[in-house]
Amino acid sequence: VYGYLPYWEMSGETLDFLDWNALSDLGLFSVTWTGSGTLDTTQSGYRAITGPLGRSAVATARARGVRVEICFTSFGYDKNATFFGDPARQERTISELRAFVRETGAQGVNVDVEQIRTSWFDEYGAFVAALRAALRTDDPSATVSVATHANNSGAQMAKLAADAGADRIFIMGYAYRTGSSNPGAIAPLVGRATTGG
């Protein structure tokens, strides 16, 4: 069971509530990058992960044999075009993620890239491969997982991530009726069917 722990739910009550015996992996959500490719230390996710609660989550998980991944996010068409169009920026981010994984005691990275044009898909796959190789330089058992949308683009990204050696791939499908509905345990992996004459 892979559980995501978003920064806005990171509290002592949440850590006490978690069923650590049921978890195999814990993803701490999330960190992102600045314009230069460094990790953005001003973001709430970064501060939560590096704060007392984040460090407690990592220590508790490790003590109970639960693997920990840091979730790396990059959202937005323009932002992703900037990122995937600049190999030097990607290298800097990979270096920062590698150091962050070592510093926090995590054992891998979960990559969540959303709103990326298909023209950058090959670069996305190359980034996943390069990140995994870098992390495994420090820890041969380090993992890289990815999360993609439950649509054609997401399927293409999942295939590229698999080809890049990703250790786990999530297709982000949610059971919802509207954009404001809470996600559920079942996931529609195709668009809503229409009927008609």
Side-chain angles (χ1 to χ4, degrees):
V1 175
Y2 191 110
Y4 282 90
L5 180 57
Y7 62 85
W8 60 87
E9 293 289 347
M10 208 175 286
S11 67
E13 292 79 15
T14 299
L15 295 184
D16 289 340
F17 177 78
L18 288 177
D19 184 352
W20 293 100
N21 294 321
L23 283 174
S24 59
D25 301 79
L26 181 67
L28 299 179
F29 188 93
S30 74
V31 297
T32 192
W33 57 281
T34 67
S36 67
T38 60
L39 294 185
D40 191 343
T41 61
T42 68
Q43 294 293 312
S44 298
Y46 183 96
R47 292 197 311 268
I49 292 168
T50 57
L53 289 170
R55 294 191 184 280
S56 176
V58 173
T60 302
R62 296 290 301 262
R64 292 177 174 266
V66 175
R67 292 184 58 83
V68 178
E69 288 187 340
I70 301 296
C71 298
F72 169 73
T73 56
S74 187
F75 298 162
Y77 290 112
D78 292 340
K79 184 172 183 175
N80 284 323
T82 298
F83 185 73
F84 290 105
D86 186 346
R89 184 178 280 118
Q90 293 171 60
E91 287 175 19
R92 193 171 304 115
T93 300
I94 287 171
S95 176
E96 293 254 325
L97 284 168
R98 181 179 170 190
F100 194 61
V101 164
R102 284 194 310 261
E103 194 269 327
T104 57
Q107 295 149 299
V109 174
N110 174 275
V111 177
D112 182 0
V113 172
E114 300 182 32
Q115 296 177 314
I116 176 175
R117 292 182 176 86
T118 56
S119 56
W120 298 114
F121 278 11
D122 287 342
E123 288 77 8
Y124 163 81
F127 173 78
V128 171
L131 175 60
R132 187 172 185 268
L135 293 177
R136 290 201 160 202
T137 299
D138 299 322
D139 176 2
S141 66
T143 54
V144 170
S145 59
V146 302
T148 69
H149 284 298
N151 55 23
N152 288 336
S153 292
Q156 292 176 59
M157 292 172 70
K159 169 68 165 66
L160 287 164
D163 292 344
D167 299 281
R168 180 179 279 132
I169 297 168
F170 295 103
I171 304 294
M172 295 187 291
Y174 302 94
Y176 50 81
R177 296 185 311 279
T178 68
S180 61
S181 296
N182 290 326
I186 57 173
L189 296 179
V190 295
R192 180 177 296 164
T194 58
T195 58

